Amino acid sequence: PPLKDFTVGKFPARLIATSITAIKEMVESPFLLDDVRAINMIAQRPDTFDLLARSLAPSICGHEKVKKGLLLQMIGGTERNLPNGTHLRGDINVLMIGDPSCGKSQMLRFVMNTAPLAISTTGRGSSGVGLTAAITREPGSREFQLEAGAMVLADRGFICIDEFDKMGEGDRVAIHEAMEQQSISIAKAGITTTLNCRTTILAAANPHFGRYNPYKSPVENIDLPPALLSRFDLLFLLLDTVDNEKDKKLALHVCRVHSSYGPNDKEEEKKKLESDTGEDPD
């Protein structure tokens, strides 16, 4: 249209796109009426925190304090930006170190499947460049381009690192800035920039000797540099101790998880017992 039809100092809005999709369904509440009613009932209970902690990875027996720590990590803290420009992270970094077969990987996988944005990786199969950012050449023009790593892709989400003790020393140094400052500075091949990686880190590792040696100090068993340990807010030590009561409880829990004996089967067995004996089993 001619310019005289428009007010001076204002420009008409134009949208140029190849495809437009309405996202009205995405902004609606994902909770139904029954869900809201159940949430209100749980919120009124005095043991809400304990209930949510027990519901986290229910197939893993015990580790109540570890589950509470993971629950607090998923809830998150308060991020603050001070007037002088200082940024205080609100994400809680958690490190689990313990003997094999203690459920570390299972709890890590539960958090990964529950969080809305989570990226899983392993210490042996990932490098420092793969976690932060990489400079590559574009195949066509041969120009340098920047590719984001796992921690940048998990911005405002979770990154779960299994086998953290298998990571190389150089790769651990690469994530120091990302864990505390929550940013990654790049100055390579003429590219100078800063990438945000406001992510929460959940790492699982084994002791230095494969199993925890009670005759050595915790520092010798963990065998991680102090600069890296200081960036973890919660550090859990999971030990496989010899205890008859604990082993019996664990065996019963495993049998209960793997059996198909549910509430419906219990009601059917109760009715069958009543028909056979004519008495109430209770």
Side-chain angles (χ1 to χ4, degrees):
L3 295 177
K4 62 181 181 179
D5 295 340
F6 299 99
T7 306
V8 178
K10 295 184 179 180
F11 296 91
R14 294 290 185 267
L15 179 62
I16 303 175
T18 57
S19 176
I20 299 177
T21 304
I23 59 173
K24 183 178 179 181
E25 300 82 12
M26 299 179 60
V27 298
E28 294 181 354
S29 176
F31 300 108
L32 301 177
L33 183 59
D34 296 338
D35 298 333
V36 176
R37 188 180 297 110
I39 291 174
N40 292 331
M41 291 177 59
I42 294 176
Q44 295 175 0
R45 296 181 53 166
D47 59 340
T48 301
F49 184 69
D50 296 334
L51 175 63
L52 295 178
R54 291 196 304 268
S55 302
L56 193 144
S59 60
I60 303 300
C61 181
H63 305 309
E64 289 82 5
K65 293 184 179 180
V66 180
K67 292 182 179 181
K68 290 182 179 180
L70 296 180
L71 178 60
L72 292 176
Q73 182 190 32
M74 296 184 66
I75 295 174
T78 302
E79 179 182 354
R80 297 182 180 179
N81 295 314
L82 302 182
N84 57 0
T86 304
H87 172 75
L88 300 179
R89 61 182 175 90
D91 301 314
I92 302 175
N93 298 326
V94 178
L95 175 62
M96 297 183 295
I97 295 181
D99 296 329
S101 70
C102 282
K104 301 187 301 295
S105 299
Q106 293 296 328
M107 289 188 286
L108 185 142
R109 188 169 298 275
F110 183 88
V111 173
M112 182 188 66
N113 295 330
T114 306
L117 174 60
I119 295 179
S120 177
T121 181
T122 59
R124 183 183 295 273
S126 60
S127 61
V129 175
L131 289 174
T132 56
I135 303 294
T136 59
R137 282 183 179 272
E138 190 177 356
S141 61
R142 303 295 297 171
E143 294 182 356
F144 290 103
Q145 63 179 1
L146 184 63
E147 291 187 2
M151 300 187 70
V152 179
L153 295 177
D155 188 32
R156 297 298 187 185
F158 286 78
I159 179 168
C160 303
I161 306 176
D162 201 0
E163 302 293 340
F164 191 69
D165 56 303
K166 306 299 189 301
M167 187 180 297
E169 183 64 28
D171 302 332
R172 294 173 184 169
V173 174
I175 66 175
H176 282 185
E177 179 189 3
M179 293 183 64
E180 187 61 37
Q181 306 300 329
Q182 293 193 326
S183 63
I184 297 174
S185 301
I186 299 296
K188 186 177 181 181
I191 299 177
T192 304
T193 184
T194 301
L195 303 177
N196 290 328
C197 58
R198 296 158 295 185
T199 177
T200 303
I201 298 178
L202 174 59
N206 292 329
H208 177 61
F209 305 101
R211 295 185 64 91
Y212 190 86
N213 190 349
Y215 300 102
K216 294 185 178 295
S217 63
V219 177
E220 295 176 335
N221 280 280
I222 295 175
D223 193 31
L224 289 177
L228 185 61
L229 285 178
S230 63
R231 286 167 168 79
F232 285 100
D233 305 291
L234 295 177
L235 176 62
F236 294 106
L237 196 61
L238 286 70
L239 301 180
D240 186 11
T241 57
V242 179
D243 188 357
N244 293 333
E245 293 297 330
K246 182 180 177 180
D247 294 341
K248 181 180 179 180
K249 180 181 178 182
L250 178 60
L252 292 175
H253 181 80
V254 172
C255 294
R256 192 182 302 113
V257 169
H258 287 277
S259 67
S260 59
Y261 188 75
N264 297 331
D265 300 332
K266 187 175 181 179
E267 292 295 334
E268 293 179 1
E269 183 177 344
K270 181 178 178 180
K271 293 179 181 179
K272 182 180 179 181
L273 186 60
E274 290 179 357
S275 61
D276 294 340
T277 61
E279 297 179 357
D280 189 356
D282 295 334

